[in-house]
């Protein structure tokens, strides 16, 4: 019985630390909106930046930690101008999302997950339980950093520096 318990614990621990390198088909089929209300799938959104390194910042206009992280994100934008900074908002209120971009002067590519942070294939895939959330996608479209919750996390810089 102890051996079975130990095996189960190891299995659960290894599953929770899994870091996928590709998005699931379901996550890629989820929809996002642009600032002018054009609807794309996540896959179509990512295809726009094919061949480029992308930092995804999952945020919301009402999120204090997201706003506090913006100066660090701006520093990253200065240090890595070749990187696409893709801001993926989980605001359910599109007006609040648009006003937040303007109010906080957020420069980059902007998309909205209209279902918010609790529902949807993309947020389920990334197991979104906290924002901000940062991810790095390499030039080949692989996830090189699956999860960082602080814009000053050294793992972000490491992923952005990777030459692939």
């Amino acid at each position: 019985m102890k051996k079975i318990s130990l095996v189960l614990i190891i299995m659960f621990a290894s599953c929770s630390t899994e870091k996928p390198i590709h998005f699931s088909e379901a996550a890629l089929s989820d929809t996002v909106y642009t600032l002018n209300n054009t609807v794309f799938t996540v896959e179509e959104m990512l295809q726009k930046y094919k061949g480029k390194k992308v930092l995804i910042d999952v945020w919301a206009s009402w999120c204090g930690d997201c706003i506090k992280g913006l100066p660090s994100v701006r520093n990253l934008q200065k240090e890595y101008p070749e990187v696409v900074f893709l801001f993926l908002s989980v605001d359910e209120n599109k007006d609040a999302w648009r006003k937040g971009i303007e109010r906080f002067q957020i420069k980059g590519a902007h998309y909205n997950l209209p279902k918010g942070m609790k529902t949807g294939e993309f947020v389920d895939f990334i197991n979104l339980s906290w924002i901000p959330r940062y991810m790095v996608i390499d030039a080949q479209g692989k996830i090189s950093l699956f999860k960082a919750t602080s814009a000053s996390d050294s793992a972000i810089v490491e992923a952005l520096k990777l030459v692939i």
Side-chain angles (χ1 to χ4, degrees):
M1 188 64 163
K2 288 182 182 181
K3 288 180 183 180
I4 292 173
S5 297
L6 182 60
V7 169
L8 289 174
I9 290 170
I10 291 170
M11 283 177 36
F12 285 121
S14 65
C15 290
S16 65
T17 60
E18 184 179 330
K19 295 175 184 165
I21 59 168
H22 296 287
F23 290 103
S24 69
E25 288 299 318
L28 290 171
S29 68
D30 209 350
T31 56
V32 295
Y33 287 82
T34 64
L35 288 168
N36 63 6
N37 287 323
T38 303
V39 180
F40 286 102
T41 63
V42 170
E43 182 172 27
E44 291 168 328
M45 172 189 71
L46 292 173
Q47 280 293 334
K48 290 181 71 170
Y49 309 106
K50 187 176 181 177
K52 297 181 180 183
K53 198 170 284 193
V54 178
L55 183 140
I56 298 175
D57 180 342
V58 182
W59 75 291
S61 63
W62 46 262
C63 169
D65 288 339
C66 300
I67 305 313
K68 287 177 191 172
L70 286 174
S72 293
V73 172
R74 287 187 186 99
N75 289 338
L76 290 169
Q77 287 175 315
K78 288 176 190 168
E79 194 169 339
Y80 301 96
E82 73 283 1
V83 172
V84 173
F85 285 78
L86 193 156
F87 294 89
L88 192 52
S89 170
V90 292
D91 277 288
E92 292 181 42
N93 180 317
K94 288 183 188 175
D95 287 333
W97 166 51
R98 289 182 183 97
K99 288 176 184 173
I101 293 167
E102 186 176 318
R103 178 178 176 202
F104 301 113
Q105 300 176 9
I106 304 171
K107 305 291 185 222
H110 294 280
Y111 297 89
N112 176 259
L113 285 164
K115 299 174 194 166
M117 70 180 280
K118 301 283 185 206
T119 308
E121 298 297 335
F122 183 82
V123 297
D124 286 349
F125 174 78
I126 66 169
N127 194 22
L128 188 65
S129 60
W130 186 264
I131 54 174
R133 170 73 172 273
Y134 305 94
M135 302 176 72
V136 177
I137 312 304
D138 70 19
Q140 286 70 43
K142 292 181 182 173
I143 302 168
S144 58
L145 175 64
F146 185 67
K147 182 179 182 179
T149 57
S150 170
S152 59
D153 189 325
S154 62
I156 294 173
V157 171
E158 290 172 26
L160 293 177
K161 284 183 177 179
L162 283 177
V163 179
I164 298 176

